[in-house]
Amino acid sequence: MVLALLRELQCEVLCVSDPALLAQSVPEWQGLPVCDDAKVLAQHSPSTVFLANGVGFVQTPEPRQDVFNIYAEVGYVFPALVHPFSWVAPDVLVGDGVQIMAGAVVQAGTQLGVNTLVNTGARIDHGCQIGPHSHVACGAILCGDVQLGAQVFVGAGAVLIQGIALGRHCTVGAGSVVLHSHGDHQCLVGTPARSIPNRPRETTP
């Protein structure tokens, strides 16, 4: 998905770094060489290349956040990547490493924290504030003035009505409808969404 976005933006891609592919000695993936990131980055300073985070947000946000933090701390840049078939209002504040996929709409006054992923067809209405390292999945809808803390996952097709706030490390199940604000470490499912037991993740944004 990220590789397709890079190609749509006509970026020159040097290689793909994936530990799983390296472990299987796969030499090439999607027409690109598979590389050891440490070796490649030893040959390229932060001023000569930028990085794109291809780690998704399937079970937890930590792997994606770790990749971003490790390399950002030593000076490498993760630019925001915005698909040309998305629509983003001119005044939206887009943090480093944000990825906005095809068909997404982000309305005026919204802020997207660093390393946030706005997936295909998601809708984020006016005045929303999305914390760092969050993921708004395919087809999710955030009505106006919604606030999300750090590392929040909003599942595919979920709806968050206007004016609500979710704390850090919350998960919203696919198709759920959230009508009320909730604190940190909540797992919300159903219509209307209710909180179910969720083991806290001891992480720092």
Side-chain angles (χ1 to χ4, degrees):
M1 182 171 64
V2 176
L3 179 56
L5 174 57
L6 290 168
R7 286 173 166 164
E8 185 67 33
L9 295 172
Q10 300 184 346
C11 299
E12 179 185 0
V13 183
L14 297 178
C15 65
V16 174
S17 175
D18 186 324
L21 295 176
L22 279 175
Q24 299 173 49
S25 300
V26 176
E28 184 179 285
W29 185 79
Q30 297 287 312
L32 290 168
V34 175
C35 64
D36 182 316
D37 54 356
K39 292 180 180 178
V40 171
L41 294 181
Q43 302 170 13
H44 298 279
S45 70
S47 63
T48 61
V49 296
F50 69 79
L51 306 182
N53 197 342
V55 179
F57 191 137
V58 179
Q59 294 181 324
T60 68
E62 284 79 14
R64 179 178 172 86
Q65 176 179 328
D66 289 345
V67 167
F68 180 88
N69 287 341
I70 287 168
Y71 293 109
E73 286 172 1
V74 294
Y76 288 94
V77 173
F78 291 82
L81 302 173
V82 180
H83 198 286
F85 295 150
S86 64
W87 189 86
V88 180
D91 68 341
V92 171
L93 298 180
V94 179
D96 291 344
V98 166
Q99 296 168 355
I100 302 176
M101 298 302 175
V105 174
V106 185
Q107 295 282 11
T110 290
Q111 300 180 32
L112 300 176
V114 299
N115 198 38
T116 286
L117 175 57
V118 181
N119 223 320
T120 308
R123 302 289 192 267
I124 299 178
D125 220 310
H126 62 87
C128 291
Q129 297 186 32
I130 312 302
H133 313 292
S134 292
H135 182 182
V136 181
C138 302
I141 298 174
L142 276 60
C143 299
D145 298 313
V146 169
Q147 298 185 35
L148 304 183
Q151 294 185 326
V152 170
F153 176 79
V154 179
V159 177
L160 279 63
I161 67 164
Q162 64 272 15
I164 67 168
L166 299 184
R168 299 167 55 194
H169 314 304
C170 285
T171 298
V172 179
S176 299
V177 178
V178 184
L179 303 179
H180 306 287
S181 297
H182 294 268
D184 297 344
H185 300 289
Q186 300 297 306
C187 184
L188 306 168
V189 297
T191 304
R194 67 189 189 284
S195 181
I196 63 174
N198 182 35
R199 185 173 63 186
R201 300 193 296 265
E202 298 299 330
T203 58
T204 303

